[in-house]
Every structure is written in C-alpha cells, then in structure tokens.
Amino acid sequence: MKITVIYGNNKKGSTYNSVQLLKEKLNEQGKIDYTEIFLPTDLQEFCRGCFNCILDGEELCHNSNYVQPIIDKMLAADGIILASPVYSLDVSAPMKNLLDHLCYLWIPHRSRTEFFSKIGFVLATAAGTGTKRTNKTLKLSLDYLGFKRVYSYGANVAASDWSGVSTKKKEKIESDLANRADKFYKATLNRKKLRYRPKTRVIFLMMKKLIKGYDQANLDRTYWQEQGWFDNKSPFKGRKTDEDN
Ligand SMILES: Cc1cc2nc3c(=O)[nH]c(=O)nc-3n(C[C@H](O)[C@H](O)[C@H](O)COP(=O)(O)O)c2cc1C
C-alpha cells in the first residue's frame, strides 16, 4: 500500500509526531510505502491567482514545477494524509497554498478519475482550539477532488512543541489514533470496492449539467467531453459493496 503524507509545516513538532504515531499504528496492519511532502519546502511560491491552471491549462501555472510533482505523488498513492498545525483557527498558510493550487482538479473543473477511489486522512493539532475547523478545510478539499472516504483526527496538545506535550496527552493521541488507523487502513486496502458517497455523485451530476452548457472551447468542458462524462462514462465504477465498518 502506498501512502503520501503532506505536512503543512516543516517543523518536526506536534503535527509531525502525531502523524508518526498514526504511521506506527498503520504499520502494525501491513506493509506501507510512504512518500512525504513538507510545506513550504516542497511548494515555495504562492498561488498568484492568475487563473492559468483553470482557464488555460495546469502546465501554465507559474509554480507547476512544484505543484505537478506533488500531484503525481497524490495520484500514485492509495491513501493520502494531510496534516496541519492550526494557525489562526485554520490550516497553516503553506497548506492553504497547496489547497489553492489543487482547485483546478476539483470536480467543478477537471478532477481525475483516480481520485474517486482514494482514501484521505486529515489531521490537525492545536494548542487549544480550532482542529475541527482546520480538518473541515482539509476534508472539503479532498471531498471536492472526489475522494471516496476521508477520516479525521484533531488533537489539542496544550503546547507549542511536542517536547511540551504531556505523557498523558501523548498516550491519549496514540490510543485515539489506533482506532482511526484501523479504519483508514481497511478503507484504503479495500478502496476500490467501497461504495461511492451520494454527496460526491450529486456534486458530479450538478457539475455535469453546468459544464455541458459552457462554451465549446472551455477547457473544463473539453476535458469532460474527452473523459466521456457527458455520455455514458463516469468516474464512478467498480463493484459496490457495503461501507467499511
Ligand atoms: C501563528 C500561529 C497561530 C496559531 N494559532 C492557533 C489557534 O488558532 N488555536 C490554537 O489552539 N493554537 C494555535 N497555535 C498553536 C499551534 O496550533 C499548536 O501549538 C500546534 O500543535 C503546533 O504544531 P507543530 O508543533 O507541528 O508546529 C498557533 C501557533 C502559531 C505559530
């Protein structure tokens, strides 16, 4: 199994160490190859808001030399972990910057069929508050990319660094993550067989109607046409079985 981890900071603090606990639990379930991406090191420029990616093609993004290798690593993975510290009650700026660069891949634009069978895990750490909102931001992005399932975990660590986190708190994080790791691992292992979420289907159908009405030359419309998504094809395929437990 391949898992790509994207960290919203470079620091090996509470966010990084919480992910290591999650990885330890996942490793108990089976062999996993991890690819790790650290922001902002792996994406050093901000989105300029030029709309090149959306309107003219992702290859014209000024930062495509950073962005495309990250997307390739996401596409190559079975599961993706997005981890961010909470800054001002939401994701870190480097993480938000990545999410902005992924917008052109949202279902309302040009999502990839591969994403519809991927499983996500979002993790946030805060001193005291904001993990819920931060995880919502992270999860929304994965939902709009088409992900099949997204699991989440937030930890209030009451510290500015991992060394300041109490042993009791670390034990609690570890035990909380054991259960979630189990679910994430099983879903990732069985990802192709899991039922698609109705919400994803509804977004897809709404966008299909909208995008079909675009100008013939529109890039999103051309892409949907090429995928056959206006005809009988769709990114939803594979056997439908019951939800993972
Ligand atoms: C700029 C900045 C903003 C922060 N904003 C919040 C916040 O809104 N709520 C909160 O509980 N903690 C906040 N914190 C604390 C961090 O979220 C917390 O210490 C986190 O665990 C740090 O993760 P790290 O060790 O991976 O850097 C903030 C920290 C920084 C540096």
Side-chain angles (χ1 to χ4, degrees), residues 9 11-17 84-90 124-131 155-162 165:
N9 59 352
K11 200 174 131 189
K12 296 202 168 159
S14 300
T15 312
Y16 176 84
N17 279 287
S84 178
V86 173
Y87 288 172
S88 310
L89 298 176
D90 216 311
T125 73
T129 185
T131 59
N156 289 326
V157 295
S160 60
D161 198 11
W162 190 242
V165 182

Side-chain angles (χ1 to χ4, degrees), residues 49-171:
C50 65
F51 274 88
N52 282 357
C53 61
I54 293 174
L55 298 179
D56 299 314
E58 59 272 25
E59 66 285 0
L60 297 176
C61 169
H62 297 276
N63 307 322
S64 67
N65 56 325
Y66 288 118
V67 178
Q68 290 309 315
I70 296 176
I71 292 169
D72 287 345
K73 285 168 187 161
M74 292 175 74
L75 288 169
D78 300 294
I80 289 152
I81 299 172
L82 295 184
S84 178
V86 173
Y87 288 172
S88 310
L89 298 176
D90 216 311
V91 295
S92 69
M95 178 58 84
K96 180 64 169 65
N97 185 37
L98 173 67
L99 302 182
D100 295 344
H101 280 92
L102 298 179
C103 268
Y104 84 90
L105 287 167
W106 280 24
I107 300 171
H109 297 291
R110 302 189 302 280
S111 188
R112 298 283 294 261
T113 297
E114 296 96 312
F115 283 142
F116 287 76
S117 63
K118 301 232 185 265
I119 310 296
F121 194 110
V122 299
L123 184 152
T125 73
T129 185
T131 59
K132 220 173 175 178
R133 183 176 167 143
T134 301
N135 278 334
K136 195 174 170 191
T137 300
L138 295 170
K139 183 176 181 296
L140 260 182
S141 263
L142 297 183
D143 284 348
Y144 275 94
L145 289 173
F147 275 45
K148 225 176 200 180
R149 294 284 181 287
V150 182
Y151 297 90
S152 64
Y153 181 66
N156 289 326
V157 295
S160 60
D161 198 11
W162 190 242
S163 58
V165 182
S166 69
T167 309
K168 198 173 159 206
K169 183 70 81 183
K170 286 178 183 170
E171 284 168 0

Side-chain angles (χ1 to χ4, degrees), residues 6 14 21 35 39 91 118 148 156 164 184 226 229 238:
I6 306 179
S14 300
L21 291 177
T35 299
L39 304 173
V91 295
K118 301 232 185 265
K148 225 176 200 180
N156 289 326
F184 177 52
E226 281 167 6
W229 290 349

